[in-house]
Amino acid sequence: MVSREKRDLPWRRTSNPYYIWVSEVMLQQTRVDTVIPYYERFIKKFPTLSDLANAKEEDVLKMWEGLGYYSRVKNLQSGVKEVVAEYGSEIPRNRKEISKLKGVGPYTAGAVLSIAFGVPEHAVDGNVMRVFSRLLLIEDDIAIPRNRKIFEEVVMELIDEKDPSSFNQGLMELGATICTPRPRCLLCPVRDFCQAFHEGRQESLPVKSKKTKTKTIPLFAFAIRNPEGKWLMKQRPSTGLLADMWEFPMAENTGVASPEEFLKMNLGMKFEGFESLIQYKHVFSHLVWEVESYLATANDNALSGYRFFSTDEVEALPKAVPVLKIWEELKKKIPKDKKN
């Protein structure tokens, strides 16, 4: 079934463990269709472990721009540096050693080992837990981390030791295309063996407790340009949300002042030509930003921690999706003669 039905994806056309590692990191919490162009650009830019290990972090973040969860790529680069420095550019072929690498969790370790090296190791993610919850009528809550062990043990009992790559990829494919949150049971090749299907419980499994309610934060964002057409930006801290990415001045909207009043009171710069840009929501895994963005011109020097950048320089800086939305709107407004 795997060879006949599997999707033709670029990382399935290679046995290079580095490429498979990159693809698995990109696919975490991200749709396949979104990942494909990022994967192809990333591999072209950093075709070897050494290329990625020696690259500037800013260049690496730029190639990840818009993909989100930026700590993933920072950890990936750190792990690759470890492989180059400590393992002679050879990715470890056993779970104990590969799991020591920065950012390599149980799933990524198992995926790389089984797909690239043919080692019979489990690669259990949400899709795989959903499949086995239904197939074997497992009612343990998959949102509880310790319950992952139950599914890892099931996989190790059933895995095809001669072809663990096809076994694990088949499970991934089944969970991604057929045994989805809303299962397509009539198309399922293992329907006859599915206990949940025979009991009519496929819609109620897996058991997954709800996450805590996400927090919503209203924000002001200000695209500030000086008379030379340069833009005021700063780099976010090296830890925390959107670490090391570049942004326009942003601040929480506490509701005590209009955006123009807020700008005058809090940034201490003289502004003119104040106008509204776009309003949007950006959803993270644990919170929501409700952003109101504005455009203004300032004659003063940059604030402490900020710098003015030309349009081309801003284009080259790594920016997260919330900032990219503003930047794409700004580019529609920038006169061609000021795009320098």
Side-chain angles (χ1 to χ4, degrees), residues 139-327:
E139 297 178 311
D140 298 87
D141 188 345
I142 69 170
I144 299 175
R146 68 173 180 272
N147 287 342
R148 181 181 294 266
K149 186 74 173 176
I150 296 168
F151 296 91
E152 292 174 347
E153 290 173 352
V154 166
V155 171
M156 292 307 290
E157 288 179 14
L158 298 175
I159 196 168
D160 183 347
E161 296 196 359
K162 293 182 179 180
D163 191 3
S165 173
S166 293
F167 181 88
N168 279 340
Q169 289 190 80
L171 281 175
M172 297 171 191
E173 195 80 342
L174 189 63
T177 62
I178 303 295
C179 198
T180 54
R182 289 188 174 182
R184 305 165 67 196
C185 296
L186 295 180
L187 300 176
C188 183
V190 294
R191 181 184 62 202
D192 291 345
F193 308 100
C194 181
Q195 295 183 42
F197 174 76
H198 288 302
E199 293 196 12
R201 297 180 57 192
Q202 63 270 35
E203 295 281 355
S204 63
L205 289 171
V207 175
K208 186 176 183 181
S209 56
K210 293 182 179 180
K211 296 180 180 179
T212 56
K213 189 176 180 180
T214 56
K215 181 180 180 181
T216 298
I217 301 176
L219 293 175
F220 288 142
F222 302 102
I224 298 171
R225 181 171 53 185
N226 69 11
E228 288 74 44
K230 294 187 175 183
W231 301 94
L232 189 67
M233 302 194 79
K234 73 170 182 178
Q235 191 172 26
R236 291 180 67 88
S238 58
T239 57
L241 186 66
L242 307 180
D244 289 319
M245 305 301 279
W246 288 83
E247 67 182 7
F248 299 109
M250 300 182 77
E252 185 172 352
N253 173 9
T254 59
V256 299
S258 70
E260 192 167 10
E261 291 170 336
F262 183 95
L263 195 55
K264 291 176 181 177
M265 290 188 299
N266 290 274
L267 294 189
M269 301 173 75
K270 294 180 180 179
F271 300 96
E272 58 186 43
F274 191 88
E275 63 178 279
S276 177
L277 272 175
I278 57 170
Q279 298 183 11
Y280 59 90
K281 288 185 179 181
H282 184 78
V283 181
F284 297 93
S285 59
H286 58 297
L287 61 86
V288 177
W289 280 359
E290 291 185 340
V291 183
E292 296 179 25
S293 63
Y294 299 89
L295 172 63
T297 300
N299 294 317
D300 296 358
N301 294 326
L303 300 166
S304 176
Y306 289 85
R307 292 166 53 194
F308 278 108
F309 294 90
S310 70
T311 299
D312 288 343
E313 289 171 333
V314 174
E315 189 71 24
L317 292 174
K319 302 173 290 296
V321 170
V323 177
L324 284 171
K325 289 178 180 177
I326 298 171
W327 183 238

